[in-house]
Amino acid sequence: MKWAPALFGLLALALWQAAVWIEHVPVYVLPGPLAIVGAFAADPVGLLTALASTLLVTFAALFVAAVLGGAMAVAMSASRLAQAAIQPWAVALQVTPLPAIAPLIIIWVGDPFVALVVCATIVAFFPLFANTASGLASAPPELDDLFRLYGARRWQTMALLRLPAALPYFLSGLRISGGLALVGAVVAELVAGSGGFASGLAYRILEASFRLEMPRMFAALVLLAIAGIVLNFGLGAVGRMILRRRGVA
Amino acid sequence: MLTVNTVGRVFPGGIEALRDTSLRMDETDFIALLGPSGCGKSTLLRLIAGLDQPDSGRLDWDGGAPVPGDIGFVFQDATLLPWSTAEDNVFLPLRLRGMTRAEAMPLVHAALHRVGLAGFETARPRALSGGMRMRVSIARALVTKPRLLLMDEPFAALDEFTRHKLQADLLEVWKQAGCTVVFVTHSIYEAAFLARRIVLMTPRPGKIAAEIASSLQPVAETRLDPAYAALVTEISRAMAAALA
Protein backbone atom coordinates (compact mmCIF):
# COMPACT_ATOMS: atom_id res chain seq x y z
CA MET A 1 0.00 0.00 0.00
CA LYS A 2 2.76 2.37 1.03
CA TRP A 3 4.66 1.82 -2.21
CA ALA A 4 1.62 2.11 -4.46
CA PRO A 5 2.20 5.76 -5.50
CA ALA A 6 5.89 5.11 -6.28
CA LEU A 7 5.15 1.95 -8.25
CA PHE A 8 2.40 3.68 -10.19
CA GLY A 9 4.73 6.57 -10.96
CA LEU A 10 7.50 4.24 -12.15
CA LEU A 11 5.05 2.35 -14.34
CA ALA A 12 3.84 5.60 -15.91
CA LEU A 13 7.42 6.73 -16.53
CA ALA A 14 8.29 3.39 -18.16
CA LEU A 15 5.24 3.59 -20.44
CA TRP A 16 6.13 7.19 -21.33
CA GLN A 17 9.72 6.22 -22.22
CA ALA A 18 8.52 3.21 -24.21
CA ALA A 19 6.00 5.30 -26.15
CA VAL A 20 8.65 7.90 -27.03
CA TRP A 21 11.04 5.14 -28.22
CA ILE A 22 8.49 3.10 -30.16
CA GLU A 23 6.82 6.07 -31.86
CA HIS A 24 10.13 7.92 -32.48
CA VAL A 25 8.66 11.11 -31.05
CA PRO A 26 11.09 13.98 -31.77
CA VAL A 27 12.71 15.31 -28.60
CA TYR A 28 11.58 18.90 -29.35
CA VAL A 29 7.95 17.71 -29.19
CA LEU A 30 8.08 15.36 -26.22
CA PRO A 31 11.28 14.21 -24.54
CA GLY A 32 11.28 10.90 -22.69
CA PRO A 33 12.10 10.68 -18.97
CA LEU A 34 15.68 9.61 -19.72
CA ALA A 35 16.29 12.69 -21.87
CA ILE A 36 14.90 14.86 -19.07
CA VAL A 37 17.20 13.27 -16.51
CA GLY A 38 20.03 13.79 -18.99
CA ALA A 39 19.19 17.47 -19.32
CA PHE A 40 19.28 17.84 -15.53
CA ALA A 41 22.61 15.97 -15.33
CA ALA A 42 24.06 18.29 -17.97
CA ASP A 43 23.61 21.39 -15.79
CA PRO A 44 22.58 20.52 -12.22
CA VAL A 45 24.24 23.59 -10.69
CA GLY A 46 22.48 26.03 -13.04
CA LEU A 47 19.05 24.47 -12.49
CA LEU A 48 19.43 24.05 -8.74
CA THR A 49 20.71 27.63 -8.36
CA ALA A 50 17.64 28.81 -10.25
CA LEU A 51 15.44 26.65 -7.98
CA ALA A 52 17.09 28.15 -4.91
CA SER A 53 16.39 31.63 -6.24
CA THR A 54 12.69 30.75 -6.80
CA LEU A 55 12.43 29.15 -3.36
CA LEU A 56 13.98 32.21 -1.73
CA VAL A 57 11.24 34.35 -3.28
CA THR A 58 8.64 31.75 -2.23
CA PHE A 59 9.70 31.64 1.42
CA ALA A 60 10.13 35.40 1.68
CA ALA A 61 6.63 35.86 0.26
CA LEU A 62 5.18 33.17 2.52
CA PHE A 63 6.73 34.86 5.54
CA VAL A 64 5.44 38.31 4.58
CA ALA A 65 1.99 36.88 3.77
CA ALA A 66 1.87 35.07 7.11
CA VAL A 67 2.77 38.20 9.06
CA LEU A 68 0.49 40.52 7.07
CA GLY A 69 -2.41 38.05 6.77
CA GLY A 70 -2.23 37.14 10.45
CA ALA A 71 -1.93 40.75 11.60
CA MET A 72 -4.78 41.98 9.43
CA ALA A 73 -7.02 39.12 10.55
CA VAL A 74 -6.29 40.01 14.17
CA ALA A 75 -7.00 43.69 13.49
CA MET A 76 -10.28 42.70 11.85
CA SER A 77 -11.26 40.46 14.73
CA ALA A 78 -10.47 43.21 17.24
CA SER A 79 -12.42 45.99 15.55
CA ARG A 80 -15.55 46.19 13.43
CA LEU A 81 -14.22 49.34 11.81
CA ALA A 82 -11.08 47.51 10.71
CA GLN A 83 -13.25 44.66 9.43
CA ALA A 84 -15.36 47.02 7.34
CA ALA A 85 -12.25 48.76 6.05
CA ILE A 86 -10.13 45.71 5.25
CA GLN A 87 -12.47 42.97 4.06
CA PRO A 88 -13.46 44.34 0.61
CA TRP A 89 -9.85 45.18 -0.24
CA ALA A 90 -8.65 41.76 0.77
CA VAL A 91 -11.23 40.21 -1.55
CA ALA A 92 -10.31 42.64 -4.34
CA LEU A 93 -6.68 41.63 -3.93
CA GLN A 94 -7.64 37.97 -4.13
CA VAL A 95 -9.70 38.19 -7.32
CA THR A 96 -7.20 40.34 -9.22
CA PRO A 97 -5.20 38.03 -11.53
CA LEU A 98 -1.50 38.30 -10.79
CA PRO A 99 -0.34 38.29 -14.44
CA ALA A 100 -2.45 41.42 -14.94
CA ILE A 101 -0.76 43.43 -12.21
CA ALA A 102 2.71 41.84 -12.12
CA PRO A 103 4.09 44.08 -14.95
CA LEU A 104 3.02 47.19 -13.03
CA ILE A 105 4.54 45.97 -9.79
CA ILE A 106 7.78 45.09 -11.54
CA ILE A 107 7.93 48.58 -13.06
CA TRP A 108 6.99 50.36 -9.84
CA VAL A 109 9.22 48.38 -7.49
CA GLY A 110 12.76 49.02 -8.57
CA ASP A 111 14.46 46.02 -7.00
CA PRO A 112 13.59 42.83 -8.97
CA PHE A 113 13.80 40.53 -5.95
CA VAL A 114 11.46 42.74 -3.94
CA ALA A 115 9.10 42.96 -6.92
CA LEU A 116 8.93 39.17 -7.16
CA VAL A 117 8.30 38.86 -3.44
CA VAL A 118 5.50 41.43 -3.64
CA CYS A 119 3.85 39.51 -6.49
CA ALA A 120 4.09 36.14 -4.72
CA THR A 121 2.85 37.72 -1.48
CA ILE A 122 -0.30 38.97 -3.21
CA VAL A 123 -1.14 35.40 -4.22
CA ALA A 124 -0.20 33.83 -0.88
CA PHE A 125 -1.91 36.44 1.28
CA PHE A 126 -5.58 35.52 1.03
CA PRO A 127 -5.72 31.94 2.41
CA LEU A 128 -3.63 32.98 5.39
CA PHE A 129 -5.78 36.03 5.99
CA ALA A 130 -9.14 34.30 5.49
CA ASN A 131 -8.21 31.17 7.44
CA THR A 132 -6.85 33.13 10.38
CA ALA A 133 -9.94 35.34 10.37
CA SER A 134 -12.30 32.37 10.57
CA GLY A 135 -10.04 30.73 13.15
CA LEU A 136 -10.22 33.80 15.36
CA ALA A 137 -14.02 33.58 15.25
CA SER A 138 -14.11 29.80 15.75
CA ALA A 139 -14.18 29.59 19.55
CA PRO A 140 -17.56 28.36 20.80
CA PRO A 141 -19.82 31.17 22.12
CA GLU A 142 -19.89 29.52 25.56
CA LEU A 143 -16.17 30.17 25.92
CA ASP A 144 -16.77 33.80 24.99
CA ASP A 145 -19.44 33.89 27.72
CA LEU A 146 -17.00 32.34 30.17
CA PHE A 147 -14.37 34.99 29.48
CA ARG A 148 -17.02 37.73 29.87
CA LEU A 149 -18.26 36.19 33.12
CA TYR A 150 -14.78 36.45 34.60
CA GLY A 151 -14.36 40.03 33.42
CA ALA A 152 -11.66 39.25 30.83
CA ARG A 153 -10.16 42.24 29.07
CA ARG A 154 -10.16 42.24 25.30
CA TRP A 155 -6.47 41.53 25.02
CA GLN A 156 -6.88 38.61 27.43
CA THR A 157 -9.64 37.10 25.31
CA MET A 158 -7.45 37.61 22.24
CA ALA A 159 -4.33 36.09 23.79
CA LEU A 160 -5.89 33.23 25.74
CA LEU A 161 -8.86 32.29 23.53
CA ARG A 162 -8.92 33.70 19.99
CA LEU A 163 -5.26 33.32 19.00
CA PRO A 164 -4.90 29.74 20.26
CA ALA A 165 -8.23 28.83 18.62
CA ALA A 166 -6.99 30.32 15.33
CA LEU A 167 -3.69 28.43 15.28
CA PRO A 168 -4.91 25.27 13.46
CA TYR A 169 -6.67 27.46 10.87
CA PHE A 170 -3.55 29.57 10.41
CA LEU A 171 -1.43 26.45 9.92
CA SER A 172 -3.72 25.00 7.27
CA GLY A 173 -3.73 28.43 5.60
CA LEU A 174 0.06 28.30 5.65
CA ARG A 175 0.02 24.96 3.84
CA ILE A 176 -2.30 26.27 1.12
CA SER A 177 -0.37 29.51 0.80
CA GLY A 178 2.96 27.69 0.53
CA GLY A 179 1.94 26.20 -2.81
CA LEU A 180 0.36 29.47 -3.91
CA ALA A 181 3.51 31.45 -3.04
CA LEU A 182 5.49 29.12 -5.29
CA VAL A 183 2.97 29.57 -8.11
CA GLY A 184 3.03 33.33 -7.55
CA ALA A 185 6.83 33.39 -7.62
CA VAL A 186 6.87 31.43 -10.88
CA VAL A 187 4.23 33.63 -12.54
CA ALA A 188 6.08 36.78 -11.47
CA GLU A 189 9.36 35.36 -12.73
CA LEU A 190 7.78 34.61 -16.11
CA VAL A 191 6.59 38.20 -16.37
CA ALA A 192 9.90 39.60 -15.12
CA GLY A 193 11.87 37.12 -17.24
CA SER A 194 10.24 38.29 -20.43
CA GLY A 195 11.38 41.75 -19.33
CA GLY A 196 14.97 40.55 -19.14
CA PHE A 197 15.33 39.72 -15.43
CA ALA A 198 17.33 36.49 -15.57
CA SER A 199 16.90 34.56 -12.36
CA GLY A 200 14.75 31.77 -11.02
CA LEU A 201 13.47 28.52 -12.43
CA ALA A 202 10.67 30.12 -14.44
CA TYR A 203 13.23 32.12 -16.38
CA ARG A 204 15.10 28.87 -17.16
CA ILE A 205 11.83 27.42 -18.48
CA LEU A 206 11.23 30.50 -20.59
CA GLU A 207 14.80 30.46 -21.87
CA ALA A 208 14.69 26.74 -22.70
CA SER A 209 11.41 27.12 -24.56
CA PHE A 210 12.87 29.92 -26.69
CA ARG A 211 15.78 27.63 -27.58
CA LEU A 212 13.49 24.60 -28.10
CA GLU A 213 15.48 22.77 -25.37
CA MET A 214 12.49 20.69 -24.36
CA PRO A 215 14.34 18.24 -22.07
CA ARG A 216 15.78 21.14 -20.06
CA MET A 217 12.38 22.79 -19.91
CA PHE A 218 10.87 19.56 -18.58
CA ALA A 219 13.73 19.15 -16.10
CA ALA A 220 12.97 22.61 -14.70
CA LEU A 221 9.26 21.76 -14.57
CA VAL A 222 9.95 18.52 -12.69
CA LEU A 223 12.10 20.42 -10.18
CA LEU A 224 9.25 22.90 -9.66
CA ALA A 225 6.74 20.09 -9.16
CA ILE A 226 9.00 18.35 -6.66
CA ALA A 227 9.60 21.62 -4.81
CA GLY A 228 5.83 22.20 -4.64
CA ILE A 229 5.15 18.72 -3.30
CA VAL A 230 7.92 18.92 -0.69
CA LEU A 231 6.70 22.37 0.35
CA ASN A 232 3.13 21.17 0.73
CA PHE A 233 3.97 18.03 2.69
CA GLY A 234 6.66 19.82 4.70
CA LEU A 235 4.30 22.58 5.82
CA GLY A 236 1.64 19.96 6.56
CA ALA A 237 4.07 17.98 8.72
CA VAL A 238 5.25 21.08 10.58
CA GLY A 239 1.62 22.05 11.26
CA ARG A 240 0.73 18.59 12.55
CA MET A 241 3.79 18.55 14.78
CA ILE A 242 2.90 21.91 16.33
CA LEU A 243 -0.70 20.88 16.94
CA ARG A 244 0.35 17.55 18.42
CA ARG A 245 2.68 19.32 20.83
CA ARG A 246 -0.24 21.47 21.92
CA GLY A 247 -2.37 18.39 22.45
CA VAL A 248 -5.10 19.38 20.00
CA ALA A 249 -4.34 16.93 17.17
CA MET B 1 -28.61 36.58 48.28
CA LEU B 2 -30.59 37.54 45.21
CA THR B 3 -34.13 38.51 44.40
CA VAL B 4 -35.26 38.21 40.80
CA ASN B 5 -38.00 40.81 40.56
CA THR B 6 -40.70 40.49 37.82
CA VAL B 7 -38.08 39.99 35.16
CA GLY B 8 -39.03 39.77 31.48
CA ARG B 9 -36.94 39.16 28.39
CA VAL B 10 -38.05 39.38 24.76
CA PHE B 11 -35.54 38.31 22.13
CA PRO B 12 -35.14 40.20 18.86
CA GLY B 13 -37.76 38.69 16.58
CA GLY B 14 -40.42 38.94 19.24
CA ILE B 15 -39.95 35.62 21.06
CA GLU B 16 -40.90 36.19 24.67
CA ALA B 17 -38.41 34.04 26.57
CA LEU B 18 -39.44 35.16 30.06
CA ARG B 19 -42.42 37.03 31.52
CA ASP B 20 -42.88 38.43 35.02
CA THR B 21 -40.52 36.00 36.65
CA SER B 22 -39.79 36.42 40.34
CA LEU B 23 -37.61 34.19 42.47
CA ARG B 24 -35.80 34.60 45.75
CA MET B 25 -32.48 32.81 46.27
CA ASP B 26 -30.89 32.46 49.68
CA GLU B 27 -27.46 31.42 50.90
CA THR B 28 -26.86 27.68 50.52
CA ASP B 29 -30.04 27.13 48.50
CA PHE B 30 -29.99 24.36 45.90
CA ILE B 31 -32.60 25.31 43.34
CA ALA B 32 -33.52 23.30 40.26
CA LEU B 33 -35.11 25.20 37.38
CA LEU B 34 -37.15 22.44 35.75
CA GLY B 35 -39.12 22.56 32.55
CA PRO B 36 -39.33 21.59 28.89
CA SER B 37 -37.14 23.30 26.32
CA GLY B 38 -38.23 26.83 25.50
CA CYS B 39 -39.47 27.59 29.02
CA GLY B 40 -36.82 30.26 29.57
CA LYS B 41 -34.79 28.43 32.21
CA SER B 42 -31.47 28.95 30.44
CA THR B 43 -32.42 32.55 29.73
CA LEU B 44 -33.09 33.11 33.43
CA LEU B 45 -29.71 31.57 34.25
CA ARG B 46 -27.91 33.86 31.78
CA LEU B 47 -29.70 36.90 33.23
CA ILE B 48 -28.56 35.95 36.72
CA ALA B 49 -24.99 35.49 35.43
CA GLY B 50 -25.06 38.94 33.84
CA LEU B 51 -24.44 37.44 30.39
CA ASP B 52 -27.75 38.92 29.22
CA GLN B 53 -29.87 41.87 30.37
CA PRO B 54 -33.61 41.80 31.19
CA ASP B 55 -36.01 44.00 29.21
CA SER B 56 -38.18 44.56 32.26
CA GLY B 57 -37.92 43.97 36.00
CA ARG B 58 -34.62 43.77 37.83
CA LEU B 59 -32.22 41.68 39.85
CA ASP B 60 -31.66 42.82 43.45
CA TRP B 61 -28.44 41.50 44.96
CA ASP B 62 -28.09 41.55 48.74
CA GLY B 63 -24.84 43.37 49.50
CA GLY B 64 -24.23 44.79 46.05
CA ALA B 65 -23.79 43.47 42.52
CA PRO B 66 -21.46 40.49 42.10
CA VAL B 67 -17.86 40.94 40.96
CA PRO B 68 -16.05 38.46 38.67
CA GLY B 69 -15.49 35.26 40.60
CA ASP B 70 -18.65 35.62 42.72
CA ILE B 71 -20.53 33.56 40.14
CA GLY B 72 -19.42 30.24 38.71
CA PHE B 73 -21.02 28.92 35.53
CA VAL B 74 -21.08 25.36 34.21
CA PHE B 75 -22.36 24.91 30.66
CA GLN B 76 -23.95 21.86 29.06
CA ASP B 77 -20.63 21.13 27.37
CA ALA B 78 -17.49 21.22 29.46
CA THR B 79 -16.27 24.16 27.26
CA LEU B 80 -12.63 23.64 28.17
CA LEU B 81 -9.74 25.15 26.26
CA PRO B 82 -8.64 22.08 24.27
CA TRP B 83 -5.00 23.20 24.11
CA SER B 84 -4.75 23.66 27.90
CA THR B 85 -4.20 21.03 30.58
CA ALA B 86 -6.84 20.39 33.26
CA GLU B 87 -4.73 22.49 35.61
CA ASP B 88 -4.51 25.43 33.19
CA ASN B 89 -8.23 25.26 32.46
CA VAL B 90 -9.00 25.55 36.16
CA PHE B 91 -6.36 28.28 36.49
CA LEU B 92 -8.13 30.40 33.82
CA PRO B 93 -10.60 32.34 36.04
CA LEU B 94 -7.78 33.22 38.46
CA ARG B 95 -5.45 34.12 35.62
CA LEU B 96 -8.05 36.49 34.16
CA ARG B 97 -8.13 38.39 37.43
CA GLY B 98 -4.35 38.76 37.38
CA MET B 99 -3.27 36.04 39.79
CA THR B 100 0.14 34.49 39.11
CA ARG B 101 0.54 30.78 38.49
CA ALA B 102 2.44 30.26 41.70
CA GLU B 103 -0.26 31.99 43.75
CA ALA B 104 -3.05 30.11 42.00
CA MET B 105 -1.74 26.55 41.92
CA PRO B 106 -2.65 25.59 45.52
CA LEU B 107 -6.23 26.74 44.85
CA VAL B 108 -6.29 25.00 41.46
CA HIS B 109 -5.09 21.70 42.90
CA ALA B 110 -7.56 21.95 45.78
CA ALA B 111 -10.42 22.47 43.30
CA LEU B 112 -9.32 19.52 41.14
CA HIS B 113 -8.99 17.38 44.25
CA ARG B 114 -12.46 18.36 45.37
CA VAL B 115 -14.01 17.05 42.14
CA GLY B 116 -11.99 13.84 42.32
CA LEU B 117 -9.40 14.66 39.68
CA ALA B 118 -6.21 14.60 41.76
CA GLY B 119 -3.55 13.05 39.53
CA PHE B 120 -5.04 14.42 36.29
CA GLU B 121 -3.60 17.93 36.60
CA THR B 122 -1.56 17.80 33.41
CA ALA B 123 -4.04 15.84 31.27
CA ARG B 124 -5.43 17.60 28.22
CA PRO B 125 -9.21 17.53 27.57
CA ARG B 126 -8.77 15.09 24.67
CA ALA B 127 -7.31 12.53 27.04
CA LEU B 128 -10.24 12.78 29.47
CA SER B 129 -13.68 11.13 29.34
CA GLY B 130 -16.84 13.22 29.05
CA GLY B 131 -17.51 12.85 32.78
CA MET B 132 -13.98 13.86 33.69
CA ARG B 133 -14.13 16.88 31.39
CA MET B 134 -17.30 17.96 33.17
CA ARG B 135 -15.48 17.55 36.50
CA VAL B 136 -12.75 19.89 35.25
CA SER B 137 -15.46 22.34 34.26
CA ILE B 138 -16.97 22.16 37.76
CA ALA B 139 -13.52 22.61 39.34
CA ARG B 140 -13.02 25.70 37.17
CA ALA B 141 -16.34 27.11 38.40
CA LEU B 142 -15.43 26.38 42.02
CA VAL B 143 -11.86 27.69 42.00
CA THR B 144 -12.88 31.31 42.65
CA LYS B 145 -14.95 30.18 45.66
CA PRO B 146 -18.17 31.57 44.14
CA ARG B 147 -21.16 32.58 46.22
CA LEU B 148 -23.43 31.37 43.45
CA LEU B 149 -22.92 28.38 41.18
CA LEU B 150 -25.03 28.36 38.01
CA MET B 151 -25.31 25.10 36.07
CA ASP B 152 -27.03 24.81 32.69
CA GLU B 153 -27.96 21.13 32.10
CA PRO B 154 -24.37 20.13 32.87
CA PHE B 155 -24.99 16.38 32.92
CA ALA B 156 -27.48 16.12 30.04
CA ALA B 157 -24.91 14.80 27.57
CA LEU B 158 -23.45 12.13 29.89
CA ASP B 159 -24.41 8.47 30.14
CA GLU B 160 -26.66 7.53 33.04
CA PHE B 161 -24.01 5.86 35.22
CA THR B 162 -21.62 8.80 34.90
CA ARG B 163 -24.52 11.17 35.49
CA HIS B 164 -25.56 9.44 38.74
CA LYS B 165 -22.00 9.52 40.02
CA LEU B 166 -21.56 13.20 39.15
CA GLN B 167 -24.92 14.09 40.70
CA ALA B 168 -23.97 12.41 43.98
CA ASP B 169 -20.54 14.07 43.91
CA LEU B 170 -22.11 17.45 43.18
CA LEU B 171 -24.17 17.15 46.38
CA GLU B 172 -20.94 16.59 48.34
CA VAL B 173 -19.27 19.54 46.64
CA TRP B 174 -22.27 21.75 47.39
CA LYS B 175 -22.32 20.77 51.07
CA GLN B 176 -18.60 21.45 51.42
CA ALA B 177 -18.44 24.63 49.36
CA GLY B 178 -21.49 26.13 51.03
CA CYS B 179 -22.51 28.12 47.96
CA THR B 180 -25.91 28.60 46.39
CA VAL B 181 -26.56 26.39 43.37
CA VAL B 182 -29.07 27.10 40.61
CA PHE B 183 -29.30 24.05 38.38
CA VAL B 184 -31.17 24.06 35.07
CA THR B 185 -32.49 20.69 33.97
CA HIS B 186 -35.25 19.07 31.95
CA SER B 187 -35.04 15.87 33.98
CA ILE B 188 -37.58 15.44 36.75
CA TYR B 189 -35.43 12.68 38.30
CA GLU B 190 -32.37 14.91 38.37
CA ALA B 191 -34.28 17.84 39.89
CA ALA B 192 -35.85 15.61 42.55
CA PHE B 193 -32.54 14.00 43.49
CA LEU B 194 -30.45 17.16 43.68
CA ALA B 195 -32.50 20.16 44.63
CA ARG B 196 -33.88 21.48 47.89
CA ARG B 197 -36.29 23.66 45.91
CA ILE B 198 -37.71 22.56 42.57
CA VAL B 199 -38.99 25.47 40.51
CA LEU B 200 -41.29 24.42 37.65
CA MET B 201 -41.27 26.54 34.53
CA THR B 202 -43.60 26.51 31.52
CA PRO B 203 -43.00 27.74 27.98
CA ARG B 204 -44.49 30.39 25.65
CA PRO B 205 -43.93 32.70 27.35
CA GLY B 206 -41.43 31.29 29.83
CA LYS B 207 -42.58 31.74 33.40
CA ILE B 208 -42.53 30.10 36.80
CA ALA B 209 -45.56 27.86 37.32
CA ALA B 210 -44.99 26.34 40.75
CA GLU B 211 -42.40 25.51 43.35
CA ILE B 212 -42.00 22.29 45.30
CA ALA B 213 -39.81 21.91 48.39
CA SER B 214 -37.83 18.74 48.96
CA SER B 215 -37.11 17.26 52.37
CA LEU B 216 -34.92 14.43 51.05
CA GLN B 217 -31.44 13.91 52.44
CA PRO B 218 -28.82 15.28 50.03
CA VAL B 219 -26.91 11.97 49.86
CA ALA B 220 -26.35 9.32 47.17
CA GLU B 221 -28.56 6.73 48.99
CA THR B 222 -31.59 8.97 48.50
CA ARG B 223 -32.04 7.46 45.05
CA LEU B 224 -33.20 4.22 46.72
CA ASP B 225 -35.49 5.99 49.18
CA PRO B 226 -39.25 5.51 48.52
CA ALA B 227 -39.64 9.20 49.44
CA TYR B 228 -37.56 10.02 46.35
CA ALA B 229 -40.01 8.11 44.15
CA ALA B 230 -42.86 9.93 45.86
CA LEU B 231 -41.22 13.30 45.17
CA VAL B 232 -40.75 12.36 41.50
CA THR B 233 -44.46 11.54 41.33
CA GLU B 234 -45.39 14.81 43.00
CA ILE B 235 -43.25 16.84 40.59
CA SER B 236 -44.59 14.91 37.59
CA ARG B 237 -48.18 15.65 38.63
CA ALA B 238 -47.43 19.32 39.21
CA MET B 239 -45.61 19.60 35.88
CA ALA B 240 -48.49 17.92 34.04
CA ALA B 241 -50.96 20.29 35.71
CA ALA B 242 -48.79 23.31 34.84
CA LEU B 243 -48.47 22.28 31.20
CA ALA B 244 -52.17 21.40 30.81
Side-chain angles (χ1 to χ4, degrees):
Chain A
M1 237 2 218
K2 199 179 160 191
W3 295 103
L7 281 176
F8 180 76
L10 277 178
L11 184 68
L13 285 177
L15 284 173
W16 177 3
Q17 186 66 54
V20 168
W21 271 334
I22 293 164
E23 292 292 321
H24 299 289
V25 182
V27 78
Y28 55 84
V29 174
L30 178 68
L34 290 178
I36 294 167
V37 172
F40 176 75
D43 181 25
V45 176
L47 285 171
L48 287 177
T49 310
L51 175 66
S53 163
T54 301
L55 285 179
L56 192 63
V57 173
T58 304
F59 280 114
L62 191 58
F63 178 76
V64 175
V67 172
L68 276 185
M72 286 172 92
V74 168
M76 242 178 59
S77 151
S79 133
R80 275 172 191 274
L81 180 68
Q83 176 165 17
I86 294 172
Q87 186 118 44
W89 297 109
V91 175
L93 197 63
Q94 191 228 352
V95 297
T96 307
L98 180 63
I101 46 172
L104 278 177
I105 291 167
I106 289 162
I107 291 166
W108 287 341
V109 181
D111 184 73
F113 175 75
V114 176
L116 293 182
V117 171
V118 169
C119 289
T121 302
I122 287 173
V123 183
F125 171 79
F126 197 78
L128 276 161
F129 167 74
N131 269 33
T132 310
S134 38
L136 288 167
S138 72
E142 289 84 2
L143 274 170
D144 262 327
D145 285 343
L146 190 81
F147 275 71
R148 274 173 59 209
L149 183 74
Y150 288 113
R153 297 176 185 286
R154 274 162 63 145
W155 66 266
Q156 287 179 314
T157 309
M158 181 59 80
L160 297 175
L161 178 59
R162 298 202 192 293
L163 285 178
L167 183 68
Y169 293 74
F170 172 82
L171 289 172
S172 74
L174 197 67
R175 187 176 180 181
I176 300 167
S177 288
L180 286 178
L182 183 64
V183 171
V186 168
V187 170
E189 278 175 8
L190 285 176
V191 176
S194 55
F197 177 59
S199 167
L201 215 46
Y203 180 72
R204 299 291 150 211
I205 292 174
L206 212 58
E207 184 189 53
S209 77
F210 289 152
R211 296 179 187 165
L212 284 183
E213 291 174 348
M214 291 304 152
R216 185 173 163 83
M217 195 179 159
F218 269 83
L221 268 179
V222 170
L223 278 184
L224 264 184
I226 292 172
I229 290 167
V230 170
L231 193 62
N232 189 302
F233 280 88
L235 288 171
V238 168
R240 275 195 305 279
M241 194 186 74
I242 292 173
L243 293 182
R244 231 190 339 264
R245 283 224 176 143
R246 290 179 61 81
V248 288
Chain B
M1 166 178 285
L2 167 65
T3 308
V4 176
N5 212 329
T6 59
V7 157
R9 176 78 176 103
V10 182
F11 286 126
I15 297 163
E16 194 174 5
L18 271 183
R19 178 189 287 179
D20 276 346
T21 298
S22 297
L23 187 65
R24 166 87 198 152
M25 283 157 231
D26 288 308
E27 310 294 331
T28 73
D29 259 346
F30 196 132
I31 299 172
L33 298 179
L34 173 67
S37 47
C39 71
K41 51 197 193 305
S42 292
T43 304
L44 180 55
L45 208 63
R46 290 177 59 82
L47 290 174
I48 296 171
L51 294 170
D52 193 10
Q53 300 303 319
D55 295 308
S56 58
R58 57 178 201 279
L59 303 172
D60 294 321
W61 293 88
D62 305 350
V67 297
D70 280 350
I71 299 179
F73 205 112
V74 179
F75 300 89
Q76 179 167 352
D77 293 317
T79 58
L80 304 175
L81 301 175
W83 50 84
S84 291
T85 59
E87 188 172 80
D88 284 343
N89 268 292
V90 177
F91 173 37
L92 181 71
L94 301 177
R95 190 175 185 178
L96 290 175
R97 60 156 81 159
M99 207 183 264
T100 67
R101 224 188 142 72
E103 285 171 334
M105 274 309 136
L107 300 171
V108 167
H109 291 158
L112 281 169
H113 188 265
R114 179 176 279 176
V115 299
L117 280 183
F120 291 93
E121 289 82 0
T122 56
R124 289 231 166 73
R126 271 173 70 90
L128 299 173
S129 68
M132 288 163 101
R133 284 202 283 266
M134 187 47 74
R135 287 173 189 273
V136 176
S137 190
I138 294 171
R140 179 179 64 190
L142 291 173
V143 77
T144 59
K145 300 200 163 47
R147 294 156 60 201
L148 180 58
L149 178 59
L150 305 175
M151 307 181 87
D152 193 357
E153 303 188 21
F155 307 146
L158 302 175
D159 67 83
E160 189 159 7
F161 302 101
T162 309
R163 184 159 61 236
H164 281 189
K165 183 82 177 84
L166 272 160
Q167 286 166 347
D169 289 354
L170 175 62
L171 285 177
E172 291 308 311
V173 163
W174 167 64
K175 284 186 281 186
Q176 280 179 30
C179 58
T180 306
V181 178
V182 181
F183 190 105
V184 163
T185 180
H186 54 233
S187 161
I188 291 171
Y189 301 96
E190 188 167 48
F193 176 72
L194 287 172
R196 306 298 94 205
R197 295 167 58 194
I198 298 109
V199 174
L200 307 187
M201 297 184 70
T202 50
R204 282 177 290 276
K207 57 178 185 293
I208 291 175
E211 181 173 331
I212 293 168
S214 161
S215 53
L216 299 176
Q217 287 297 308
V219 291
E221 294 71 31
T222 290
R223 226 184 284 280
L224 305 171
D225 188 337
Y228 166 62
L231 182 61
V232 168
T233 309
E234 185 187 350
I235 298 170
S236 302
R237 287 219 176 97
M239 197 79 232
L243 290 171

